[in-house]
Amino acid sequence: MASPPTGCGTNLSSTYYNLCDMDSPWGIVLEAFAAAGVVTSVAFMLSLLVLICKIQDSNRRKVLPTQFVFLLGVLGLFGLTFAFIIKLNERTGPTRFFLFGVLFALCFSCLLTHTFTLAKLVRGKKPLSLLTILGLALGFSLVQDIIAIDYVVITMNRTNTNVFAEMPRTQLNEDFVMLLIYVLFLMAFTFIMSLSTFCGSFTGWKRHGAHIFVTMLFSIAIWVAWITLLLHEPLKPIWDDTILSTALVANGWVFLLMYILPEFILLTKQRNPRDYPVEDNLCKPQFMKQSYGMENRAYLQEEITQGPESPGSSTHYAPYSTHFQLQNRDSQKDFSIPRPKTRSSPYDDYGGRKDGN
């Protein structure tokens, strides 16, 4: 019997050597990053519960349940890393094939539904409701659950739990990648939807879309790298577990640093009125111009296609004023003050006698 590597006890099974092997410390390094990711994810989840009452923007509050589910998925990814550090056996095999795609599908589905509501907000439309966002996220991820259950049950033939350890390496890796086709579709769809969040007039929401865009960009790069390395036959089989566990840890930290951390910074930000369309915009007067009448003045709406009003032109109906407005008219009556005039007295010709006497 071979002696255990440096750092491992003599009574420890060889299945767990990667957890403590000091001669090949990749397992120790990855489990340290995974453990730190678990602690960070739990801290974010607790902070989310504490800050929920301090969020002023109702549209940010609608995404909180989905982001909490997202953190549960990230927490699961860090925990799943230990199943890849431990050697493949009858217990870790089904766990790997089932949870890898399910957890990533849950995370990408949460990001996808967030882009749906951002695409509406950035265009000034009514966003999705809280239950709709959460329901869509769980619904999208449920498809991968069904695919993974069918594959694991059919492959294990209900009884042979050690089939994954006995499977040839080439077939094992090809089946692992083929099982994730739906997750690859979710990744591509989420990346495209994140681009649509940059098209709109309300720029305040574009920053949230940028978080998802950067997250998906790094995630796609990680997935392309580990799939290429996993299917690269010249590599030794011992590297398979290292590649997959590294991909889990790297993508988990991308989720935390590129998406969760920036979202938490904006979580309690005060609601900005410029991020929303003005209500009753049609009733609000615009392009108002002053015109003076003879006794009063009214605010008349200036049409964009018309030039300045000519003098003497008739006034039109203006909002926020009476329907009957005074107009400039030329005076046709004489309102001057009359002055006294002298008249002859009727007694000027009176001589004090009657005619004929």
Side-chain angles (χ1 to χ4, degrees):
M1 181 178 179
S3 60
T6 306
C8 299
T10 55
N11 297 327
L12 186 66
S13 174
S14 60
T15 306
Y16 306 99
Y17 279 171
N18 291 331
L19 295 173
C20 54
D21 188 358
M22 299 295 294
D23 299 328
S24 181
W26 66 268
I28 299 176
V29 174
L30 289 177
E31 68 179 295
F33 277 102
V38 169
V39 175
T40 307
S41 300
V42 173
F44 275 125
M45 293 169 68
L46 295 177
S47 301
L48 195 65
L49 297 176
V50 173
L51 296 176
I52 190 171
C53 298
K54 298 182 180 180
I55 301 174
Q56 300 179 2
D57 197 329
S58 60
N59 289 321
R60 289 194 180 99
R61 195 181 299 113
K62 291 178 182 179
V63 192
L64 291 184
T66 307
Q67 291 178 335
F68 190 85
V69 174
F70 177 84
L71 283 171
L72 286 176
V74 176
L75 181 63
L77 290 176
F78 286 121
L80 183 63
T81 305
F82 293 91
F84 285 89
I85 297 176
I86 300 171
K87 293 182 180 179
L88 185 65
N89 54 32
E90 67 276 3
R91 290 186 298 272
T92 59
T95 304
R96 293 182 181 187
F97 274 79
F98 178 75
L99 288 180
F100 192 95
V102 168
L103 292 173
F104 271 112
L106 182 62
C107 293
F108 291 135
S109 297
C110 293
L111 294 177
L112 178 60
T113 53
H114 194 183
T115 59
F116 287 162
T117 189
L118 288 176
K120 287 179 170 290
L121 287 170
V122 79
R123 292 169 174 82
K125 299 180 181 179
K126 185 178 180 181
L128 301 176
S129 63
L130 184 150
L131 293 178
T132 302
I133 298 173
L134 183 60
L136 286 175
L138 297 177
F140 285 134
S141 63
L142 186 61
V143 177
Q144 180 63 29
D145 297 353
I146 298 173
I147 295 173
I149 291 173
D150 289 342
Y151 175 83
V152 171
V153 171
I154 294 174
T155 303
M156 292 174 57
N157 197 17
R158 300 182 184 273
T159 55
N160 187 9
T161 58
N162 201 33
V163 63
F164 296 103
E166 298 173 353
M167 192 180 298
R169 180 205 176 199
T170 303
Q171 182 183 354
L172 185 71
N173 293 340
E174 290 177 354
D175 286 1
F176 191 83
V177 175
M178 291 292 293
L179 187 60
L180 302 173
I181 290 179
Y182 177 73
V183 182
L184 294 172
F185 166 76
L186 283 178
M187 291 177 62
F189 193 23
T190 306
F191 181 75
I192 295 173
M193 285 301 300
S194 67
L195 293 175
S196 68
T197 60
F198 298 143
C199 304
S201 56
F202 298 94
T203 58
W205 299 106
K206 294 182 180 181
R207 186 173 178 181
H208 297 270
H211 300 161
I212 301 177
F213 171 78
V214 174
T215 301
M216 294 309 304
L217 189 64
F218 276 86
S219 297
I220 291 174
I222 292 172
W223 276 62
V224 170
W226 76 256
I227 289 176
T228 303
L229 293 174
L230 191 68
L231 299 180
H232 195 58
E233 293 185 2
L235 290 177
K236 297 180 180 180
I238 194 175
W239 287 101
D240 293 348
D241 293 346
T242 308
I243 292 169
L244 292 173
S245 54
T246 303
L248 280 169
V249 173
N251 217 151
W253 277 106
V254 165
F255 287 151
L256 291 180
L257 298 179
M258 302 296 177
Y259 175 69
I260 291 296
L261 182 60
E263 287 292 311
F264 261 77
I265 295 175
L266 300 178
L267 198 60
T268 57
K269 185 179 178 181
Q270 188 176 3
R271 174 172 175 154
N272 190 351
R274 291 181 296 179
D275 293 341
Y276 296 92
V278 180
E279 297 180 358
D280 301 329
N281 193 33
L282 296 177
C283 299
K284 183 178 181 180
Q286 298 176 353
F287 304 105
M288 302 304 292
K289 174 186 175 183
Q290 280 189 344
S291 65
Y292 297 91
M294 188 172 183
E295 294 293 336
N296 73 333
R297 57 184 183 179
Y299 288 95
L300 302 179
Q301 185 173 4
E302 182 182 6
E303 300 293 340
I304 299 177
T305 57
Q306 296 179 355
E309 296 180 355
S310 60
S313 61
S314 62
T315 57
H316 301 285
Y317 170 74
Y320 308 103
S321 63
T322 59
H323 291 275
F324 303 97
Q325 302 177 11
L326 297 177
Q327 301 178 356
N328 294 324
R329 295 185 181 276
D330 296 334
S331 177
Q332 298 178 356
K333 295 183 179 181
D334 186 10
F335 293 99
S336 61
I337 301 175
R339 300 184 179 276
K341 296 181 180 181
T342 60
R343 294 187 302 175
S344 61
S345 174
Y347 298 103
D348 290 344
D349 297 334
Y350 181 69
R353 65 180 182 273
K354 294 182 180 179
D355 294 339
N357 294 328

